[in-house]
Amino acid sequence: MSFHVEPALETDVEAIARVHVQGWRESYKDFLNPASLAGLSVEERARMWRSTFTAPDPRALLLVGRASDGEIVGFVCGGPVRLEDAVSLDTAAEVYAIYLLDKVKGQGLGRRLMAGLFDHLTGQGFSSAGLWVLRDNLSARRFYERLGGKPGPGQELELRGQTVTEIAYRFDPIPTIR
Ligand SMILES: CC(C)(COP(=O)(O)OP(=O)(O)OC[C@H]1O[C@@H](n2cnc3c(N)ncnc32)[C@H](O)[C@@H]1OP(=O)(O)O)[C@@H](O)C(=O)NCCC(=O)NCCS
């Protein structure tokens, strides 16, 4: 399948929210309990993504991956590091989220989304980037490691009523991914 990677438009928020919810349901079924996943709402996620367009931060970027028929099948979002986590990522920038639908995994789209985001972050003057990933999400951890990410400290948090452990990954310096 061929993909096109481009900055998201406000008109994409519903589709991004659908990928977000379906991505959680497909990818987190082994980590989060069924009630948490069933309670996810496309409308709530769409509101959240729409809010990022009301006062956009030029240092942040939301990229979508489109299949050749135009369907949005993945997205990545990142920008300045968020400071609300109990444990510091200790990086200048952060990858806030990356999700692909099951049907497009393993075809290079995740790499292209990360490459586009990292190019943008480097262009904004950020020298390092980090992210949080569920400790048990070995598939995503192998992906980040393949791109040069190094594991760091962990933190526990409440995620939809469940206590989970996340592991930090750091890219320092931010690599050029091709
Ligand atoms: C993790 C994710 C973004 C990876 O995207 P992807 O398109 O499947 O990965 P790619 O095809 O671009 O793979 C890039 C490289 O990582 C490697 N890789 C990807 N998944 C891997 C895995 N599970 N195990 C080992 N290596 C893996 C690929 O082999 C590839 O290496 P190569 O280029 O040397 O061949 C995607 O699978 C996804 O959305 N997963 C579910 C959501 C999720 O867990 N998000 C992370 C939240 S923190």
Side-chain angles (χ1 to χ4, degrees), residues 27-28 98 100 105-108 110-111 137 139 142 144 146:
S27 303
Y28 289 174
I98 178 165
L100 268 59
K105 284 179 185 168
Q107 298 177 58
R111 173 189 283 276
N137 189 353
S139 165
R142 297 295 93 84
Y144 296 134
R146 188 78 190 95

Side-chain angles (χ1 to χ4, degrees), residues 30-163:
D30 296 334
F31 319 130
L32 297 184
N33 65 48
S36 303
L37 295 177
L40 292 168
S41 151
V42 172
E43 289 70 29
E44 180 194 315
R45 296 289 160 145
R47 267 197 301 281
M48 188 198 90
W49 288 112
R50 193 168 292 112
S51 72
T52 65
F53 285 89
T54 52
D57 180 343
R59 298 169 301 166
L61 182 66
L62 173 57
L63 284 175
V64 293
R66 281 184 198 280
S68 44
D69 63 359
E71 181 189 4
I72 289 178
V73 290
F75 68 90
V76 69
C77 184
V81 71
R82 296 176 293 193
L83 299 172
E84 63 257 32
D85 287 302
V87 178
S88 170
L89 269 178
D90 221 12
T91 55
E94 179 171 351
V95 181
Y96 305 141
I98 178 165
Y99 289 97
L100 268 59
L101 299 181
D102 264 359
K103 65 180 179 181
V104 299
K105 284 179 185 168
Q107 298 177 58
L109 178 57
R111 173 189 283 276
R112 286 185 53 198
L113 289 167
M114 290 287 282
L117 176 63
F118 278 178
D119 282 352
H120 172 81
L121 294 174
T122 302
Q124 293 296 312
F126 294 112
S127 57
S128 58
L131 55 87
W132 291 104
V133 57
L134 291 176
R135 183 190 55 198
D136 297 338
N137 189 353
L138 297 180
S139 165
R141 292 178 62 179
R142 297 295 93 84
F143 167 74
Y144 296 134
E145 286 162 13
R146 188 78 190 95
L147 300 187
K150 299 279 182 285
Q155 67 172 356
E156 279 200 347
L157 77 160
E158 286 293 301
L159 190 61
R160 302 192 68 80
Q162 259 179 272
T163 303

